[in-house]
Amino acid sequence: MSTGGESSRAVVPCRACLSGEDLDWLGGRSVSLALDLTTEVGTAPGTGAPAGGGWPAQVWEFLRARLPALGPEPPAVTVRSDAPAASGLSSSTALIVALFQAYTATAVPPGIPVDTLARWAYEFEFAHFNGGGMDHLAVIEGGALLLDGRPTGLPRVLERAVFPGAWAVVVVDSATRKDTSDHIRVVRAQLAGRDPALASYMREADRASADAWAAIGGGDLEGLADAMDRAHAAMRDHQGMSTPLLEELRSAARRATGLRLKLSGAGGGGALVGVCPVAGLDETVTALRRGLAAAHPGARVIPTRAAAGLRPPGGRTRAPAG
């Protein structure tokens, strides 16, 4: 099978981690939410210079090992993304999943099953980064997920929920790139050495995840904001995942709007996320931009909403209260 003469298009959301960074592979509960900041991959007949760095060619080779009839060269690819890069919002995973989906849509009509897509995308990234599978499930399943982590393989989906439609998510991109190149190696060494700081983090983050999930199910926005705040404190105080700049942004946001922000994704730098009512969202965003403009002109404030994933409607989903 060659690349063929057909075009394809895949659109994949990004995700925010509301609580439980690293618990998807350390073990414990984490809460993810798909966001409507999407990555779009398009393919066209013929071949061309890869977009998106080296991922298009590498994903194609990964697929050829499992679908031998694919041609030797990937099709021409275009990439567009709403999510800030290297921000802890899983834009890389969204790109990888979109490549898998776009490449297989015409090669294996109507594409590979979503469970296979999640497993293959996880296996591809695990070989590069040795990390967990929260991101792959989050962008494929969509909505809110309560996950139970394990050392290898995709986490177990304990529950799914529709994020309340009356709630919005505000992303504050710090304009500093998140670099986790060494993070997973360091944390795996902590785990092997039974580091008490890591044990404290795992315990507190797991509790915050349980409370965040209960708040989503109960329609308790203030309870969710409180749980996210505690999750951030555990990341900062026990694992050093925050930075002085991120803490300044959190303080400035709290002064300007009362919004409590949490770092999304392990490591330093990247984006902070907060939850607020859709009613009054424009006023919150305007006040937040005004409050950050003088001291942090590079920071971007991005309003967004929860997003559906790639899985067809249905499955075990809990509707929120209220």
Side-chain angles (χ1 to χ4, degrees):
M1 184 186 297
S2 67
T3 56
E6 297 180 57
S7 300
S8 63
R9 174 176 171 268
V11 180
V12 178
C14 74
R15 73 96 183 94
C17 180
L18 304 187
S19 178
E21 277 80 358
D22 289 333
L23 297 191
D24 58 331
W25 60 269
L26 284 170
R29 290 167 290 186
S30 55
V31 178
S32 68
L33 179 67
L35 299 178
D36 65 0
L37 301 175
T38 59
T39 294
E40 179 178 338
V41 167
T43 69
T47 60
W55 292 135
Q58 292 181 52
V59 168
W60 186 259
E61 288 306 308
F62 180 96
L63 284 171
R64 286 190 71 217
R66 289 150 182 81
L67 303 170
L70 289 179
E73 298 293 333
V77 171
T78 59
V79 176
R80 179 202 60 78
S81 182
D82 298 327
S87 61
L89 298 175
S90 74
S91 57
S92 293
T93 295
L95 170 59
I96 288 165
V97 169
L99 286 166
F100 270 90
Q101 191 184 34
Y103 283 162
T104 58
T106 55
V108 192
I112 59 177
V114 289
D115 290 334
T116 303
L117 177 66
R119 179 167 53 83
W120 283 3
Y122 163 78
E123 290 172 358
F124 176 84
E125 276 204 82
F126 185 82
H128 288 271
F129 302 116
N130 200 27
M134 171 198 289
D135 297 357
H136 313 85
L137 289 176
V139 304
I140 289 171
E141 297 280 347
L145 299 178
L146 178 65
L147 302 171
D148 182 27
R150 48 190 170 185
T152 59
L154 290 165
R156 186 162 64 102
V157 179
L158 296 175
E159 291 191 62
R160 301 171 175 88
V162 177
F163 200 69
W167 298 356
V169 177
V170 177
V171 173
V172 176
D173 177 23
S174 70
T176 58
R177 293 179 66 85
K178 182 181 291 292
D179 182 3
T180 58
S181 57
D182 204 37
H183 172 79
I184 293 174
R185 182 191 64 79
V186 169
V187 178
R188 287 194 182 275
Q190 285 183 287
L191 183 65
R194 300 180 182 274
D195 188 323
L198 179 62
S200 295
Y201 167 70
M202 293 172 64
R203 182 171 56 252
E204 293 183 24
D206 179 74
R207 289 173 180 166
S209 295
D211 291 342
W213 192 255
I216 292 171
D220 180 3
L221 182 61
E222 183 62 23
L224 176 57
D226 179 69
M228 290 170 61
D229 198 45
R230 289 190 286 114
H232 177 91
M235 296 169 68
R236 177 193 63 212
D237 298 344
H238 296 298
Q239 287 296 91
M241 294 189 207
S242 191
T243 68
L245 172 60
L246 294 174
E247 294 306 313
E248 289 177 18
L249 289 171
R250 293 182 76 236
S251 296
R254 192 74 180 267
R255 290 192 301 268
T257 65
L259 190 67
R260 289 182 280 184
L261 297 177
K262 176 198 168 289
L263 177 62
S264 178
L272 298 150
V273 295
V275 291
C276 67
V278 170
L281 175 62
D282 290 345
E283 292 81 357
T284 297
V285 169
T286 298
L288 189 52
R289 287 171 175 161
R290 186 182 301 120
L292 299 180
H296 306 287
R300 282 200 301 155
V301 180
I302 308 169
T304 184
R305 302 286 292 274
L310 309 182
R311 184 180 291 280
R316 184 164 56 91
T317 303
R318 182 176 68 172

